[in-house]
Amino acid sequence: HIRLSLEEKNNQEQGSCVTWRQYQADAREQWARHVKDTDGWLYAIQTLRNAMTAQSFLASTVLSLLTLITGKVWDILRSASNMWERRLLIVQLLTISATMLFSANQFLQGVRLMTHAGFMFPVKNDTKVDNIMRKTESCQWLGLRSMYISLAPIAWVVGGGRAFFSSSVALILFFRQIDKKPEGLGYEEFQASYI
């Protein structure tokens, strides 16, 4: 994640888009400008409603899964006789809980920001709404990323150290795959249309 942040900062200074996250954030910001320029309030409300529903669904799904996982780990924890095994399970549960709660929180923060944007569209003509829409992308990105990262500690509980290592390597490969420049979407033309 540090590598991605540094890469994005470096490319931002050069004026080029490199990652899907930047592409999505730019698209949301430009969408907000388009809505203001065309007075497309109905379109904006429908789009925001759909995005808020999607992020609320993701937050509730993460919390529901956390509830199920906590119940299962709690049963295992109660039946564990070894003190070290109990401590390991507590650490595993805390790791899962931290990543999943952070994920749900980010999804809900995105919904909160979109609610603010919906009320600000008709009355604000400056760039505040554009910036809020960019922040909603960051919230969604962090929520998804944390949700994916929670797979490693879940694998640790289910399959032990080897499964944790395997899932960690798989996540690194997965993130390297998705953290690159979007190809074939005409991003350069998309950027040029709003300059």
Side-chain angles (χ1 to χ4, degrees):
H1 306 300
I2 294 170
R3 179 194 63 80
L4 177 65
S5 296
L6 291 173
E7 188 175 315
E8 284 181 344
K9 187 175 182 179
N10 184 28
N11 288 314
Q12 193 172 26
E13 290 170 2
Q14 296 173 0
S16 64
C17 172
V18 171
T19 65
W20 274 98
R21 184 174 88 108
Q22 284 179 306
Y23 178 81
Q24 291 294 329
D26 290 348
R28 285 187 188 202
E29 185 177 341
Q30 292 170 3
W31 172 82
R33 275 191 230 130
H34 171 75
V35 167
K36 286 187 294 188
D37 293 346
T38 62
D39 290 335
W41 309 122
L42 181 61
Y43 165 70
I45 297 305
Q46 290 172 340
T47 305
L48 284 172
R49 181 197 63 216
N50 292 342
M52 289 167 39
T53 301
Q55 286 197 200
S56 298
F57 173 76
L58 286 168
S60 63
T61 300
V62 167
L63 292 174
S64 297
L65 288 172
L66 178 59
T67 303
L68 291 171
I69 291 167
T70 302
K72 190 65 175 169
V73 171
W74 188 256
D75 288 341
I76 296 169
L77 187 63
R78 286 192 342 212
S79 65
S81 58
N82 186 345
M83 180 180 68
W84 295 109
E85 185 180 346
R86 282 184 177 192
R87 287 185 180 171
L88 178 63
L89 281 168
I90 290 171
V91 168
Q92 291 170 330
L93 181 59
L94 287 174
T95 313
I96 293 168
S97 298
T99 55
M100 293 185 98
L101 287 172
F102 183 77
S103 174
N105 179 56
Q106 288 302 310
F107 289 134
L108 293 174
Q109 289 303 313
V111 170
R112 181 184 66 84
L113 288 169
M114 283 187 250
T115 302
H116 290 309
F119 284 106
M120 291 172 71
F121 261 128
V123 294
K124 292 285 184 183
N125 285 330
D126 55 11
T127 60
K128 286 183 181 178
V129 177
D130 306 347
N131 293 333
I132 287 175
M133 291 309 297
R134 181 171 283 283
K135 287 178 185 175
T136 65
E137 170 54 30
S138 293
C139 289
Q140 183 177 2
W141 180 82
L142 282 169
L144 286 169
R145 202 147 183 110
S146 297
M147 185 177 68
Y148 298 145
I149 289 171
S150 70
L151 294 175
I154 291 170
W156 187 21
V157 170
V158 173
R162 288 185 179 158
F164 177 69
F165 178 75
S166 299
S167 65
S168 297
V169 170
L171 283 169
I172 289 170
L173 295 173
F174 173 71
F175 287 137
R176 282 188 169 262
Q177 183 65 30
I178 66 169
D179 291 340
K180 61 183 183 181
K181 182 177 180 178
E183 297 172 10
L185 294 178
Y187 182 76
E188 290 75 19
E189 296 85 23
F190 175 70
Q191 274 294 90
S193 67
Y194 279 95
I195 294 177

